Amino acid sequence: MVTLLLDSSRLEVALSATERVLAFRKDAVRVERAHIVKVQLVDDPWTWLRGVPAPGTVVPRTVAMGVWRSAGGDDFVLVRRRRPSVVIDLEGDAEFQRLVITTRHGLALVQALRLDVEDEPTDVVQLVTTEIPVQSGDASARPTGRPSRRRAPRPAQA
C-alpha cells in the first residue's frame, strides 16, 4: 500500500519494494504542490488510464503500475483491482501529467491539500486527523429534544 506524504511544498508517493519493482521505478514519486491542478476521488480507476505502459506492469483488471505514455503526456499509475482511487491532474510538472493511485486515504489527501502544513513531510492520514476536529460517537452528546427509542426485550425461545 502506498504512503502519501505531504509537506508545504511537495506531495510524495512513497512506494513499497514490491511497488517499485512492478512500476520499474527506483525512488518515490515527488510532485510539487503548486503543480497540482485538480484532485478527484473515483470508484473505478481503470477508466482513467490512458495510453500504453512504458515501462510498467499490467494484469488486466487486477494490477497496473508504472508509467503510461499517451499523446497528452506521461501518467504515473498505481492501480489495484476496482478499489477507490484518487486522480491527480498536474500542470507544469516536468515528469507527469496525471497520477492515478489506488488508496483508501483519498479523502484524507483532498482534505490535507486544503490545509497549510509544515515543512517536514507528514503522512496524509496523520495530518488530517490531527488538524480537523472529529466528532466522537458519545451517546451523551445526543440532542435532548427527541427521546431515545428503547426496544422491548425479546421473549426467550425454547
Side-chain angles (χ1 to χ4, degrees):
M1 183 60 67
V2 297
T3 302
L4 302 172
L5 303 172
L6 186 68
D7 65 13
S8 62
S9 64
R10 174 184 333 166
L11 170 67
E12 181 176 330
V13 181
L15 307 172
S16 69
T18 304
E19 291 165 343
R20 285 195 309 269
V21 168
L22 292 175
F24 294 92
R25 190 157 180 93
K26 292 182 181 179
D27 56 348
V29 176
R30 292 177 184 87
V31 175
E32 293 299 318
R33 205 169 164 175
H35 295 164
I36 297 174
V37 177
K38 183 169 51 170
V39 180
Q40 301 175 66
L41 302 175
V42 296
D43 288 331
D44 186 10
W46 293 94
T47 60
W48 290 88
L49 300 185
R50 59 185 182 182
V52 294
T57 302
V58 181
V59 177
R61 301 290 181 203
T62 305
V63 72
M65 293 185 189
V67 176
W68 257 239
R69 295 219 163 110
S70 69
D74 292 350
D75 299 344
F76 181 76
V77 174
L78 192 79
V79 173
R80 289 190 181 99
R81 295 193 171 80
R82 287 185 183 253
R83 295 184 179 164
S85 301
V86 63
V87 177
I88 303 169
D89 289 325
L90 307 171
E91 189 173 289
D93 190 66
E95 194 172 8
F96 299 116
Q97 295 293 314
R98 178 185 286 170
L99 306 176
V100 182
I101 301 169
T102 297
T103 179
R104 62 185 122 160
H105 305 300
L107 184 58
L109 174 64
V110 172
Q111 292 172 341
L113 285 170
R114 292 181 181 173
L115 299 173
D116 291 329
V117 295
E118 299 174 6
D119 290 335
E120 190 168 321
T122 308
D123 189 359
V124 169
V125 176
Q126 292 175 356
L127 181 68
V128 171
T129 55
T130 58
E131 294 291 329
I132 297 176
V134 178
Q135 288 184 339
S136 63
D138 188 13
S140 64
R142 229 182 252 175
T144 58
R146 182 190 226 183
S148 62
R149 291 186 182 180
R150 292 193 132 180
R151 292 185 179 180
R154 289 186 171 183
Q157 296 179 358

